[in-house]
Amino acid sequence: MNPDILKERKNATFDVEKLTYILDGGPEKTKRRREIESMVLSDPDFKEENPSFLSRSERYDQAVRKSAQMILKLREYGIADPEEIYCYKNMINGNQREAFGLHFGMFLKTLYNQCDPEQARKWLPLAESCQAVGTYAQTEMGHGTHLRGLETTATYDPATQEFVLNSPTISSIKWWPGGLGKTSNHAIVLAQLYTQGNCHGLHAFITPLRDMKTHVPLPGIVVGDIGPKFGFNEVDNGYLKLENIRIPRENMLMKYAKVEPDGTYLKPPSAKLTYGTMVFIRSMIVGESARALSKACTIAIRYSSVRHQSEIRPGEPEPQILDYQTQQYKLFPLLAMAYAFHFVGQYMKETYLRISGDINEGDFSQLPELHALSAGLKAFTTWETNAGIEVCRMSCGGHGYSCSSALPDIYVQFTPTCTYEGENTVMMLQTARYLVKSYRQAKAGQQLSGIVSYLNDAQHRVVQPQPVAARPTVVDINDLASLVEVYKLRAAILVELAAKSIQQELQRRKSQEDAWNNSAIDLVRASDAHCHYVVVKLFTDKLRDIGDTGVHSVLSSLALLYALQGITRNSGDFLQAGLLSVPQVLQSSVRIKELLSQLRLNAVALVDAFDHNDKKLNSVLGRYDGNVYENLFEWARSSPLNATEVHESFHKYLKPLRAKL
């Protein structure tokens, strides 16, 4: 064990294990998670080649092998609880992606949510036994987030009681779905439904792609892999061109919308029901943001505690780079953010499960709020995390650029979350649409409930740039409840400004659409402020549940750091609205420095509490024992390029070159 990292752990002022229990949801869950992780660690079937040293085809092959093994092992061990399955897979995959990810995450999920009883009896056994391996084919070459623009068609033919699926244009070719290229033999295809001469918008169709015995593509199916990408190189993201593919009427998912044998269309009770799977995935991405950022922080903070560089005082030994205030300023706010996002992820999961229960009972009243919240928080947390991982990488200096650090892998695996399941700017605008609608309802005297209830006060406030002499709200910057209030007011004011911007555009005789587009920057800012408020509020609320004094104290420091960092980064908003004074913003910066100094003692303990096993982290720089340099040398020596002392290129090119010069 590296002596520096040992010293860091001895300095901790709280019980790391107790904080791990809070993150996991209780000691029993921690115990069970570790049992599952041990099962993977001791299983020789999951020994693997380092993906950094494999070709694309080898990476894909290894991923499929691991996925197949996982399914058998889960069955063998009787692991059926979704959280335990997630934990088991997470441990096996580390920083890589699962080959069957969309089969379990989207294909099966959609079947559970949108099959009618008869369809469920047919398709669920096939999908659960992997006879039907599926993906979710929504995105097209020409359209992604703008679902209404998708061009794939499904035209009902009453004579044969079949749908005819087509990709009518080059831009309508399905593009990007994971597992589509080589793995899946079925897809849930999202297509525009045409029946009796009318288009009824997007619906989901179970579409066979490959022969279930030979795996050869079926006639009329043009399918393949889209080629190398920035990351995800073990996943066969694919393309799909449909050429007059006929499927039975019963292959349209009909729990909500239906097409009768004669072609009569029966519409669903809520237009948003078909987006249930996407809302689920967006809710889960919030938790993924926390996990990715917690991994990056673990690597950067552990490495910063064993790396010595330069000097603070001349003539003294080189300090740990974690002693530099600038390093703390880079990393500790990100550590606070990782904790904040973890608690928001827990909240989103609970909210999704609660509202899903309501939907199953026929109550759709909370679906619009869940849709808006999951869209906004998905965008907010992925943008912040994406930038944060890169800060962690750069804070590790040159070694952070090496794949041995795992930071390049974490980054390239995470960064597509900013564009998949809804491009982030569009997600923010969807949330803004809900906020503006809620604001107008409150303005009309309607009482709002839920997370937007703060807009109820809108009609009592006049928003205008504050004169210098105006007295800001009395705010104690050391009091989290007071800061939550300030974030709430900022959100309310920015929502109001965005709504007024639209109003002003309309008064200039602009159309609704142009007024919206000309106010889009304000609308995104309003959504961002709303999400920021939600995160600060949920982090603060979580503190009430924590009884242990040591843990409560260190989490309170993190929550305060997160809130104050947000104020200094967005000080213009708070000053412009008269919510804070210039001295208060300056005071916030001073308080941040004090918090950095306080958290320095507990930094390593706080990342230890995430309890990322070395195998899962797969980082030479982030090792629990801190023995970075010895293992970095070993890692480099294992590169296939070092398999021979003289590479064949010497004989093929260099030697002949010398002879010619």
Side-chain angles (χ1 to χ4, degrees):
M1 190 73 77
N2 181 293
D4 286 321
I5 215 156
L6 266 177
K7 185 186 76 182
E8 294 292 333
R9 291 187 175 118
K10 281 185 186 139
N11 286 340
T13 63
F14 69 95
D15 185 335
V16 172
E17 196 73 350
K18 282 181 180 166
L19 182 47
T20 302
Y21 295 159
I22 291 164
L23 293 173
D24 282 336
E28 284 309 308
K29 288 200 172 173
T30 299
K31 182 172 174 251
R32 181 61 180 146
R33 174 179 56 77
R34 287 176 180 160
E35 279 171 8
I36 290 168
E37 289 177 353
S38 299
M39 285 157 72
V40 175
L41 284 171
S42 60
D43 192 332
D45 287 338
F46 293 117
K47 294 281 181 282
E48 61 175 359
E49 296 285 324
N50 188 321
S52 300
F53 300 141
L54 297 179
S55 70
R56 169 104 204 278
S57 184
E58 287 167 337
R59 283 177 82 145
Y60 170 68
D61 186 276
Q62 181 162 276
V64 175
R65 178 183 66 77
K66 286 199 300 184
S67 282
Q69 287 284 3
M70 268 192 278
I71 292 161
L72 295 172
K73 301 275 177 177
L74 287 167
R75 203 150 291 185
E76 183 188 328
Y77 299 137
I79 298 173
D81 176 77
E83 282 193 23
E84 293 190 358
I85 291 171
Y86 181 85
C87 169
Y88 187 80
K89 289 181 172 183
N90 230 6
M91 188 62 192
I92 291 162
N93 294 324
N95 301 320
Q96 309 306 314
R97 289 286 161 166
E98 186 192 346
F100 294 177
L102 260 75
H103 172 75
F104 292 105
M106 296 285 275
F107 184 72
L108 255 174
K109 221 23 168 212
T110 307
L111 294 180
Y112 287 138
N113 290 337
Q114 293 185 41
C115 279
D116 67 20
E118 204 175 311
Q119 291 173 323
R121 279 194 295 278
K122 176 183 175 179
W123 289 103
L124 290 179
L126 287 171
E128 286 167 347
S129 64
C130 289
Q131 301 304 307
V133 176
T135 183
Y136 189 82
Q138 176 174 292
T139 301
E140 296 174 358
M141 195 190 280
H143 287 92
T145 304
H146 181 55
L147 299 183
R148 286 193 304 265
L150 295 177
E151 299 172 274
T152 303
T153 58
T155 308
Y156 185 63
D157 178 357
T160 59
Q161 292 197 24
E162 291 174 318
F163 288 102
V164 185
L165 272 66
N166 264 302
S167 306
T169 61
I170 186 79
S171 55
S172 71
I173 294 170
K174 295 295 182 186
W175 200 268
W176 278 114
L180 175 61
K182 295 290 171 191
T183 311
S184 300
N185 58 19
H186 283 75
I188 286 170
V189 172
L190 274 279
Q192 303 288 355
L193 166 60
Y194 286 85
T195 180
Q196 297 179 339
N198 296 315
C199 178
H200 294 284
L202 276 190
H203 288 72
F205 301 86
I206 303 169
T207 309
L209 305 177
R210 293 172 177 270
D211 185 284
M212 286 173 77
K213 289 194 176 74
T214 65
H215 209 60
V216 172
L218 297 168
I221 297 283
V222 182
V223 67
D225 177 83
I226 63 168
K229 307 162 295 273
F230 193 24
F232 272 56
N233 283 317
E234 52 285 316
V235 178
D236 56 326
N237 296 81
Y239 59 78
L240 170 64
K241 187 168 187 280
L242 299 154
E243 297 175 338
N244 290 314
I245 300 302
R246 285 182 169 266
I247 59 170
R249 182 183 69 89
E250 298 77 22
N251 280 29
M252 172 180 153
L253 291 175
M254 293 207 208
K255 184 175 179 180
Y256 300 114
K258 291 180 173 58
V259 171
E260 301 283 20
D262 67 354
T264 306
Y265 176 73
L266 304 175
K267 66 179 192 176
S270 165
K272 286 203 166 73
L273 278 172
T274 42
Y275 302 149
T277 308
M278 289 198 87
V279 170
F280 169 76
I281 297 287
R282 285 172 192 162
S283 299
M284 295 302 104
I285 286 174
V286 177
E288 286 297 330
S289 299
R291 271 179 285 278
L293 189 56
S294 69
K295 282 182 174 183
C297 287
T298 300
I299 294 164
I301 287 172
R302 282 182 182 165
Y303 177 62
S304 297
S305 71
V306 300
R307 174 80 166 176
H308 291 255
Q309 200 75 182
S310 199
E311 51 183 31
I312 294 176
R313 296 181 192 82
E316 289 191 9
E318 289 185 306
Q320 295 158 279
I321 60 173
L322 202 54
D323 288 338
Y324 289 100
Q325 191 184 62
T326 47
Q327 190 77 344
Q328 295 167 17
Y329 189 62
K330 286 174 199 171
L331 296 177
F332 294 175
L334 294 177
L335 178 60
M337 191 190 291
Y339 272 91
F341 289 177
H342 185 92
F343 298 131
V344 174
Q346 283 180 342
Y347 170 84
M348 283 305 292
K349 195 155 132 195
E350 288 157 15
T351 305
Y352 174 81
L353 292 172
R354 177 172 53 78
I355 294 178
S356 286
D358 295 344
I359 290 167
N360 289 335
E361 298 296 311
D363 174 4
F364 304 107
S365 60
Q366 298 204 53
L367 193 58
E369 180 171 326
L370 177 63
H371 184 259
L373 191 60
S374 66
L377 286 174
K378 179 266 179 188
F380 183 82
T381 58
T382 55
W383 265 336
E384 293 281 314
T385 297
N386 193 55
I389 295 167
E390 182 63 352
V391 170
C392 288
R393 184 189 67 76
M394 290 192 286
S395 73
C396 293
H399 293 325
Y401 189 66
S402 165
C403 286
S404 66
S405 73
L407 290 163
D409 262 343
I410 293 169
Y411 183 80
V412 297
Q413 298 292 358
F414 184 79
T415 194
T417 57
C418 296
T419 43
Y420 70 46
E421 303 309 329
E423 193 279 329
N424 278 359
T425 303
V426 179
M427 292 298 92
M428 282 297 199
L429 288 168
Q430 281 187 13
T431 301
R433 200 173 287 281
Y434 179 74
L435 292 173
V436 169
K437 186 180 174 186
S438 301
Y439 166 81
R440 286 173 179 160
Q441 286 169 342
K443 202 86 170 143
Q446 207 174 313
Q447 272 299 108
L448 302 173
S449 61
I451 208 93
V452 289
S453 56
Y454 65 87
L455 295 172
N456 285 328
D457 309 326
Q459 65 268 44
H460 307 308
R461 235 189 4 260
V462 179
V463 178
Q464 55 193 34
Q466 296 286 328
V468 178
R471 285 179 65 85
T473 325
V474 179
V475 179
D476 175 1
I477 64 150
N478 290 303
D479 175 45
L480 274 165
S482 196
L483 294 178
V484 169
E485 193 61 25
V486 169
Y487 269 93
K488 180 172 87 176
L489 290 170
R490 170 190 175 229
I493 287 167
L494 288 179
V495 170
E496 187 162 9
L497 285 171
K500 290 195 166 181
S501 167
I502 294 170
Q503 209 49 47
Q504 285 160 1
E505 290 291 326
L506 291 171
Q507 282 163 4
R508 293 183 190 128
R509 301 186 187 285
K510 292 275 170 55
S511 68
Q512 281 285 353
E513 295 77 12
D514 286 341
W516 181 265
N517 185 41
N518 292 346
S519 307
I521 295 169
D522 298 326
L523 289 160
V524 170
R525 279 181 66 213
S527 284
D528 186 80
H530 170 72
C531 294
H532 211 156
Y533 155 65
V534 170
V535 175
V536 172
K537 181 184 182 320
L538 291 175
F539 198 172
T540 305
D541 289 350
K542 184 70 186 180
L543 296 174
R544 287 202 288 269
D545 305 338
I546 293 161
D548 183 88
T549 322
V551 172
H552 188 279
S553 170
V554 75
L555 282 183
S556 297
S557 296
L558 283 174
L560 190 56
L561 176 62
Y562 180 75
L564 292 175
Q565 173 80 347
I567 284 171
T568 59
R569 278 172 60 187
N570 300 284
S571 55
D573 290 347
F574 294 97
L575 290 168
Q576 222 174 340
L579 297 171
L580 293 173
S581 64
V582 173
Q584 283 173 317
V585 172
L586 294 172
Q587 198 187 343
S588 299
S589 298
V590 173
R591 188 73 184 97
I592 285 171
K593 291 176 189 171
E594 291 168 3
L595 288 166
L596 296 178
S597 183
Q598 275 174 36
L599 287 163
R600 169 66 188 87
L601 265 184
N602 286 310
V604 168
L606 280 164
V607 296
D608 283 353
F610 292 129
D611 204 21
H612 290 303
N613 185 287
D614 276 352
K615 158 122 183 30
K616 189 165 69 176
L617 210 53
N618 195 27
S619 169
V620 170
L621 303 192
R623 294 171 60 91
Y624 184 81
D625 64 12
N627 294 329
V628 170
Y629 297 136
E630 309 88 311
N631 287 286
L632 186 57
F633 188 46
E634 281 310 306
W635 186 89
R637 291 186 71 180
S638 69
S639 167
L641 214 52
N642 296 323
T644 56
E645 290 296 339
V646 179
H647 193 263
E648 60 183 348
S649 62
F650 173 77
H651 298 289
K652 280 158 73 179
Y653 311 115
L654 275 176
K655 210 171 169 186
L657 174 68
R658 286 176 178 177
K660 289 174 185 171
L661 292 175

